[in-house]
Amino acid sequence: MGNNYSKISAVYKAIKSKLSTGESVRIYMRNFTQEEIGYSCQFCHNLYKLTFLSYYKYLKSPKYQIIAAPNRIPLVINFLTGHWLECYVVNEIEELIKKLNINKETSFLLNPQIILPNGDDFELDVLFSVEEDIYWIESKTSDYHHYLEKYSKMAKLLSSEKVHPFLILTDVPQQTCNKLSNLFGMEVLNIENFSEVMFEELKPYKTIHNTEEITNSEID
């Protein structure tokens, strides 16, 4: 979902809008590109195979319609309302670790609970560490406006050269994310830019195999 979000977002949001009722939704795709239609159908097919959809049908040309109904069980509701984005974040980081051949000590914590100085509980989405560097990553598929001030305060509490706070958003242009970053003191990224930015963050930990590679890296 994450790597192809822009191609499936219309269908995803339509299905997500029916999670509270479980009713079917009819998605008209006459104005979709062939690529968007292909990815959207594959997305729904995969959800149906996993029983995340209780009903799915694609009506070909000339109708170009998807009819789908979400399965209203807690696992599905939790996944489609946002847990998928946390999974995407973790999966992308794991892929980058392999790609960069990072041999340093790494660890993940999903949804850890911490206690603030005032005694309040606070649940984080993802904590990821490479040696002494800690990456705190929050992800939101909607209603991020209500969380920014809270995240900003948490970023200040965790303020350290070794702690790197990120907020990953969907459906928000990177230009807007850049403005939010300046306002709230944490790096805000559109989902499409997350992998590229995290690649640069983790690049210093890349395992160098030989002198030639070191030389090339220095030149780059």
Side-chain angles (χ1 to χ4, degrees), residues 14-22 70-72 76-77 80-81:
I15 293 171
K16 183 181 175 183
S17 70
K18 298 299 181 180
L19 283 173
S20 60
T21 63
N71 194 339
R72 293 192 69 255
V76 174
I77 293 172
L80 290 178
T81 53

Side-chain angles (χ1 to χ4, degrees), residues 125-166:
D125 280 352
V126 179
L127 279 181
F128 162 67
S129 67
V130 185
E131 291 193 324
E132 296 181 355
D133 280 316
I134 299 173
Y135 296 88
W136 164 39
I137 305 173
E138 292 293 317
S139 57
K140 289 294 170 194
T141 58
S142 62
D143 300 329
Y144 68 90
H145 309 78
H146 304 296
Y147 294 89
L148 278 170
E149 185 177 359
K150 181 172 70 171
Y151 291 160
S152 179
K153 290 178 180 178
M154 177 59 67
K156 290 176 182 177
L157 283 174
L158 298 176
S159 179
S160 164
E161 291 183 358
K162 295 294 184 182
V163 178
H164 312 278
F166 287 85

Side-chain angles (χ1 to χ4, degrees), residues 42-86:
Q42 186 62 51
F43 170 59
C44 290
H45 178 68
N46 289 341
L47 289 181
Y48 186 68
K49 283 198 303 182
L50 294 169
T51 69
F52 282 23
L53 295 180
S54 59
Y55 180 83
Y56 162 63
K57 186 173 184 179
Y58 171 58
L59 305 178
K60 299 180 181 180
S61 175
K63 293 189 174 181
Y64 292 114
Q65 295 174 21
I66 281 178
I67 306 171
N71 194 339
R72 293 192 69 255
I73 58 176
L75 173 66
V76 174
I77 293 172
N78 181 52
F79 182 80
L80 290 178
T81 53
H83 183 60
W84 70 266
L85 187 51
E86 296 175 23

Side-chain angles (χ1 to χ4, degrees), residues 21-211:
T21 63
E23 296 174 349
S24 64
V25 61
R26 188 181 296 264
I27 303 144
Y28 299 90
M29 301 190 295
R30 190 179 297 274
N31 295 323
F32 284 30
T33 66
Q34 285 300 313
E35 188 177 38
E36 289 170 338
I37 291 173
Y39 276 101
S40 296
C41 289
Q42 186 62 51
F43 170 59
C44 290
H45 178 68
N46 289 341
L47 289 181
Y48 186 68
K49 283 198 303 182
L50 294 169
T51 69
F52 282 23
L53 295 180
S54 59
Y55 180 83
Y56 162 63
K57 186 173 184 179
Y58 171 58
L59 305 178
K60 299 180 181 180
S61 175
K63 293 189 174 181
Y64 292 114
Q65 295 174 21
I66 281 178
I67 306 171
N71 194 339
R72 293 192 69 255
I73 58 176
L75 173 66
V76 174
I77 293 172
N78 181 52
F79 182 80
L80 290 178
T81 53
H83 183 60
W84 70 266
L85 187 51
E86 296 175 23
C87 295
Y88 168 73
V89 164
V90 173
N91 182 71
E92 284 298 290
I93 293 174
E94 289 177 335
E95 289 299 314
L96 288 173
I97 290 172
K98 293 176 184 176
K99 185 175 182 178
L100 292 167
N101 195 27
I102 295 173
N103 292 326
K104 308 293 184 181
E105 183 178 354
T106 62
S107 62
F108 286 92
L109 283 176
L110 300 181
N111 308 122
Q113 295 270 356
I114 64 174
I115 299 177
L116 302 179
N118 64 2
D120 289 345
D121 291 333
F122 192 98
E123 182 177 282
L124 309 176
D125 280 352
V126 179
L127 279 181
F128 162 67
S129 67
V130 185
E131 291 193 324
E132 296 181 355
D133 280 316
I134 299 173
Y135 296 88
W136 164 39
I137 305 173
E138 292 293 317
S139 57
K140 289 294 170 194
T141 58
S142 62
D143 300 329
Y144 68 90
H145 309 78
H146 304 296
Y147 294 89
L148 278 170
E149 185 177 359
K150 181 172 70 171
Y151 291 160
S152 179
K153 290 178 180 178
M154 177 59 67
K156 290 176 182 177
L157 283 174
L158 298 176
S159 179
S160 164
E161 291 183 358
K162 295 294 184 182
V163 178
H164 312 278
F166 287 85
L167 174 59
I168 315 303
L169 301 177
T170 58
D171 306 300
V172 181
Q174 188 56 48
Q175 185 176 5
T176 301
C177 290
N178 293 340
K179 293 177 181 177
L180 294 173
S181 297
N182 293 330
L183 285 171
F184 292 97
M186 63 189 304
E187 188 155 8
V188 184
L189 298 172
N190 179 278
I191 185 174
E192 294 180 355
N193 295 299
F194 172 69
S195 293
E196 181 181 352
V197 171
M198 189 55 62
F199 177 86
E200 293 301 321
E201 286 281 337
L202 298 179
K203 197 174 179 180
Y205 288 104
K206 180 179 179 180
T207 301
I208 305 299
H209 292 290
N210 53 51
T211 305

